[in-house]
Amino acid sequence: MKLFAKAALAALAGLLLAAPATAQTAEKPKLTLGVGGKPLLYYLPLTIAERNGYFKEQGLDVTINDFGGGAKSLQALIGGSIDVVTGAYEHTIRMQAKGQDIVSVIELGRYPGIVLVVAKDKAEKYKAIKDLKGAKIGVTAPGSSTNFFVNFLLAKNGLSPEDVAFVGVGGGASAVAQMKRGEIDAMSNLDPVITKLQSDGDVVVLADSRTVEGNEKIFGGQNPAAVLYMKTDFVKENPITTQKLTNAFYKALQWLKTATPEDVAKVVPEEYLLGDRTLYIAAVTASKPTYSLTGIIPESGMKNALGMLVEFDPELKAAKIDLAKTFDGSFVKKAAETIK
């Protein structure tokens, strides 16, 4: 009987290990996720996962903290006040250089979707990126991906971050208002903010990473954008929770593949539309190519991201970065096997 009992227990343990993550209980079913500017289309997969109930399907109770920019989300993660972040892939590289083990587990955006614009009434003065010396440039938050984007473009054109003044403007109506009031000369931001300003005739585009062509011109190819990242220790301690989070985001990406811009407008909160549904639909149309098709960051994309940062960050020029440690694709592969 004892031998039979032992065999039965061993069989049960084997079944539990083989069970899909959806059938298992998360180690941390209640958790907090940080994001920097949730209404931005850069983070649309997060809103889709939340609004379509994909986190709840996975048995997760996710509280979302929306910060003023991606750099603030990162600070909260390092400080321990949140568990995971939907933010820019570049942060995983920069933190490795600082001795912090941060890993991404699913790519949400394959292109940044960031656009650098200048105020239309100042377009004669700032005809090109090389002319921006002395300009006041709005970014979602200093140290965020919108800031990195400008730093890279400045470096490519013989300027440095010290040649301009950066101003945090957020990623919503406040960013639009500050540009319209003439408080900044230029701005690095995302949709729907950019499409709103373009539609109103307030800005001229200097660099646009929403399209395949734009990314080829700026980076020479794909450059990963939004990802889900967390401390490496969190992944080790909570593998089932990590898998469930990845599953929810993967399902959001699958939904976005076939959804129309009109479908998206029906799902997001009313305030995300900036008072103009037609404009929001146009913004989604412009940003649709930016979303990841597979959830996997290709090696070439990782190298492009590192190349961008090295261009303007002296600390990274001297650092030895192991790109393999910045992305763990095993969770996406498992999600693809179970979510169709």
Side-chain angles (χ1 to χ4, degrees):
M1 288 294 289
K2 284 183 179 178
L3 284 173
F4 177 78
K6 282 183 179 179
L9 284 171
L12 179 61
L15 284 170
L16 287 172
L17 286 171
T22 48
Q24 298 176 2
T25 302
E27 305 90 350
K28 194 174 176 66
K30 292 186 74 170
L31 66 158
T32 305
L33 180 149
V35 62
K38 187 167 173 280
L40 292 168
L41 288 176
Y42 189 87
Y43 297 118
L44 181 60
L46 169 61
T47 297
I48 297 303
E50 175 200 25
R51 302 283 286 192
N52 283 355
Y54 299 154
F55 293 129
K56 287 181 180 177
E57 276 182 13
Q58 295 292 323
L60 299 175
D61 179 3
V62 179
T63 299
I64 299 172
N65 281 4
D66 192 3
F67 298 90
K72 294 178 181 178
S73 301
L74 175 64
Q75 288 167 6
L77 181 75
I78 299 299
S81 61
I82 59 174
D83 300 300
V84 299
V85 172
T86 306
Y89 168 70
E90 301 100 88
H91 291 306
T92 64
I93 297 174
R94 296 187 82 240
M95 286 301 100
Q96 189 181 128
K98 295 177 185 295
Q100 297 276 357
D101 288 329
I102 305 294
V103 64
S104 54
V105 294
I106 181 169
E107 178 190 66
L108 305 176
R110 56 185 180 147
Y111 308 139
I114 302 170
V115 185
L116 175 62
V117 296
V118 294
K120 194 169 185 179
D121 61 358
K122 296 173 183 176
E124 277 301 308
K125 181 179 180 181
Y126 303 118
K127 290 181 180 179
I129 294 164
K130 62 182 175 61
D131 302 324
L132 287 173
K133 189 168 185 177
K136 190 182 288 186
I137 303 176
V139 294
T140 52
S144 295
S145 56
T146 51
N147 197 158
F148 298 157
F149 184 72
V150 181
N151 288 350
F152 173 67
L153 292 171
L154 291 173
K156 277 186 71 177
N157 287 273
L159 298 175
S160 73
E162 290 71 35
D163 288 322
V164 302
F166 289 108
V167 180
V169 296
S174 64
V176 174
Q178 288 184 64
M179 179 58 85
K180 285 181 173 289
R181 289 197 298 260
E183 294 174 12
I184 50 179
D185 304 312
M187 183 164 66
S188 174
N189 219 300
L190 302 113
D191 274 328
V193 169
I194 295 298
T195 295
K196 169 66 175 170
L197 291 168
Q198 283 183 290
S199 176
D200 291 350
D202 295 317
V203 296
V204 173
V205 173
L206 290 186
D208 190 339
S209 69
R210 290 175 295 188
T211 65
V212 176
E213 297 77 19
N215 280 270
E216 282 290 343
K217 185 178 179 181
I218 297 166
F219 304 113
Q222 187 171 333
N223 192 333
V227 295
L228 173 67
Y229 70 75
M230 58 207 72
K231 292 180 180 178
T232 305
D233 285 346
F234 181 94
V235 178
K236 290 176 182 174
E237 293 164 13
N238 304 281
I240 298 172
T241 305
T242 303
Q243 186 64 61
K244 286 175 175 290
L245 280 166
T246 306
N247 290 349
F249 278 107
Y250 185 80
K251 192 165 183 180
L253 290 177
Q254 295 301 104
W255 185 89
L256 279 168
K257 276 185 185 179
T258 57
T260 65
E262 289 79 9
D263 293 333
V264 172
K266 289 174 187 173
V267 171
V268 302
E270 186 71 26
E271 61 268 24
Y272 286 17
L273 307 180
L274 294 177
D276 191 333
R277 181 176 292 270
T278 302
L279 180 136
Y280 187 83
I281 288 169
V284 174
T285 302
S287 289
K288 199 101 184 317
T290 66
Y291 301 112
S292 182
L293 301 175
T294 64
I296 298 285
I297 304 177
E299 188 178 347
S300 60
M302 294 184 203
K303 288 179 178 177
N304 278 343
L306 177 58
M308 177 187 76
L309 294 170
V310 166
E311 190 78 31
F312 65 85
D313 191 329
E315 186 179 3
L316 277 167
K317 282 181 182 177
K320 288 186 178 179
I321 301 296
D322 183 354
L323 289 172
K325 291 182 178 178
T326 65
F327 177 67
D328 181 348
S330 63
F331 295 96
V332 181
K333 288 172 184 173
K334 285 180 184 175
E337 291 169 5
T338 56
I339 298 167
K340 303 299 179 186

